[in-house]
Amino acid sequence: MIFQNPSIALIGMPAVGKSTVGVLLAKQLGYDFLDTDILIQTKENMTLPQIIKKKGLKGFLDIEAAHVLGLGTELQVISTGGSVIYRERAMRHLKKIATVVYLYADLPTLLTRLSDIEGRGVAIDPSSSIDTLYKERTSLYDKFCDIKIVCGENQPGQVAADIAATLAG
């Protein structure tokens, strides 16, 4: 399978390993690496939790989308925030500039990894739960991805190797 966009965008739930896998994959492929959460924090001069607190959930999602829409076509691995899939325009842009790879892990695996939701800056309605968020987001990840990689209990290096092998066909 040959993908027309050489850049790679990683999507998936918080704590699935997008940033860790992204760094390893970028090294393996000789690509640049970009973490959109870090980009947002740098450009907004606030942490993700501060942005969510100050601008609200909708405001944060709009800010996130604006920064994703500003991404160019440089050869890179892009690690996105888990909430990027809430803005269709941002996802259409990502699909234009990159092959979108969904890093999938089941809910029990994620629950063992995801502890400090507020401290991580997870874009979640305060009245919601991780279970609800998971159910809400998984269909959107499936909708927008070009490739789905099941992470399971695999180490980040193995996940990066699985992505590279899938891309190579």
Side-chain angles (χ1 to χ4, degrees):
M1 185 179 284
I2 297 178
F3 296 93
Q4 69 184 74
N5 297 316
S7 289
I8 300 155
L10 303 178
I11 63 171
M13 286 291 290
V16 76
K18 296 179 299 286
S19 296
T20 305
V21 169
V23 168
L24 295 171
L25 183 61
K27 281 183 184 178
Q28 187 175 339
L29 298 175
Y31 286 16
D32 288 337
F33 174 73
L34 174 71
D35 186 314
T36 62
D37 284 348
I38 294 171
L39 174 72
I40 293 164
Q41 290 181 143
T42 302
K43 298 283 187 182
E44 299 296 320
N45 203 25
M46 288 185 272
T47 65
L48 299 180
Q50 288 170 333
I51 297 168
I52 292 169
K53 185 175 182 176
K54 184 174 180 180
K55 306 282 186 177
L57 185 56
K58 182 185 178 317
F60 170 78
L61 295 174
D62 291 342
I63 288 167
E64 179 180 46
H67 287 291
V68 168
L69 287 165
L71 297 178
T73 57
E74 299 83 15
L75 196 58
Q76 59 191 341
V77 174
I78 305 162
S79 171
T80 66
S83 56
V84 71
I85 42 92
Y86 287 125
R87 295 295 186 258
E88 186 150 344
R89 192 165 161 232
M91 287 307 303
R92 281 196 314 265
H93 179 70
L94 268 182
K95 287 181 75 68
K96 252 191 255 176
I97 65 167
T99 298
V100 177
V101 179
Y102 170 21
L103 299 186
Y104 169 82
D106 62 22
L107 184 58
T109 301
L110 289 172
L111 288 173
T112 64
R113 298 180 187 175
L114 189 57
S115 54
D116 185 12
I117 296 169
E118 199 171 299
R120 283 183 74 106
V122 174
I124 184 173
D125 184 295
S127 65
S128 195
S129 69
I130 291 296
D131 297 38
T132 304
L133 191 72
Y134 183 84
K135 289 175 187 142
E136 183 180 291
R137 288 185 180 182
T138 50
S139 64
L140 292 171
Y141 295 133
D142 281 329
K143 173 184 174 181
F144 289 114
C145 75
D146 297 308
I147 300 169
K148 183 175 182 176
I149 299 289
V150 178
C151 300
E153 294 297 320
N154 291 341
Q155 293 299 309
Q158 181 60 55
V159 175
D162 290 348
I163 295 167
T166 302
L167 290 170

